[in-house]
Amino acid sequence: MEIRLKEHNLLVPPADKVLFKKHVQRELDDIREEAEQAYALDNEIDPVPDSAYHDALVLLEIVCNYRMPIPDIGWAEDGSLSVGWYPDKGMVTMGIYGDNLVIYNAFFEEKRQFEGICELSDEPVLSGFLTALTK
C-alpha cells in the first residue's frame, strides 16, 4: 500500500515516515495561521489552543504507523481540530481539543459504525480503532 500525498499527488512508500511527518507539520502550520487569522477577525469563535496542535501531531504520528493515507485536517469554530478520511460510502473523523482526548467516529453504511472517546495515550483503544479502519 502506498500513501498518496494530496498536495503534490506523489506516491510515497509507507516507510517514508519523515516525508509524512513533514507534510503533516506543514499542513498544521497552515491551519494554525488560518485559524488565528479567523479568530482575529471574529473573536466570537474559540481559538484553537496550542495543545490541540500538539495532540494532533501526536495522533497523526500514530496514524502514520498504520499506513493510512494523509487525512483532511481542519479547524472548527469551537476551538478544535478535526482529522478526517472520506472513503467511498463512509466517513471517519477524529476531533482534537487539546485536552489529551480523541473523539472518534466512523460510519460505513449501516454495517460498521464506531464512535467513542479515548485518551490520546490509550494506544490499545486507538490501535483497535485504526486497525478496524484498515480492513
Side-chain angles (χ1 to χ4, degrees):
M1 176 186 218
E2 294 178 316
I3 298 171
R4 182 175 298 277
L5 292 179
K6 300 180 298 186
E7 184 175 295
H8 304 291
N9 204 25
L10 300 173
L11 289 175
V12 180
D16 196 350
K17 293 179 183 181
V18 172
L19 184 58
F20 182 94
K21 289 176 185 179
K22 283 182 180 180
H23 177 80
V24 165
Q25 185 62 60
R26 193 171 45 248
E27 196 161 334
L28 285 172
D29 291 343
D30 291 346
I31 290 167
R32 180 189 300 264
E33 185 177 325
E34 180 184 324
E36 287 174 355
Q37 288 175 356
Y39 177 70
L41 294 173
D42 180 1
N43 61 6
E44 290 188 22
I45 64 175
D46 292 333
V48 178
D50 290 338
S51 57
Y53 293 100
H54 173 267
D55 287 359
L57 190 56
V58 170
L59 175 65
L60 290 166
E61 286 179 5
I62 293 168
V63 165
C64 179
N65 292 331
Y66 285 85
R67 299 181 177 169
M68 294 179 67
I70 293 175
D72 291 332
I73 307 169
W75 64 276
E77 292 182 0
D78 66 355
S80 68
L81 294 174
S82 64
V83 176
W85 296 265
Y86 304 94
D88 289 339
K89 300 180 182 178
M91 176 178 74
V92 178
T93 60
M94 298 177 133
I96 304 156
Y97 288 84
D99 56 1
N100 197 38
L101 296 175
V102 178
I103 301 168
Y104 57 88
N105 297 290
F107 300 98
F108 297 96
E109 299 176 342
E110 293 181 23
K111 297 176 188 173
R112 290 181 22 205
Q113 296 183 9
F114 309 94
E115 59 185 303
I117 299 173
C118 71
E119 289 188 13
L120 187 58
S121 60
D122 193 347
E123 291 203 31
V125 171
L126 281 175
S127 176
F129 180 70
L130 294 170
T131 299
L133 296 178
T134 59
K135 291 181 180 181

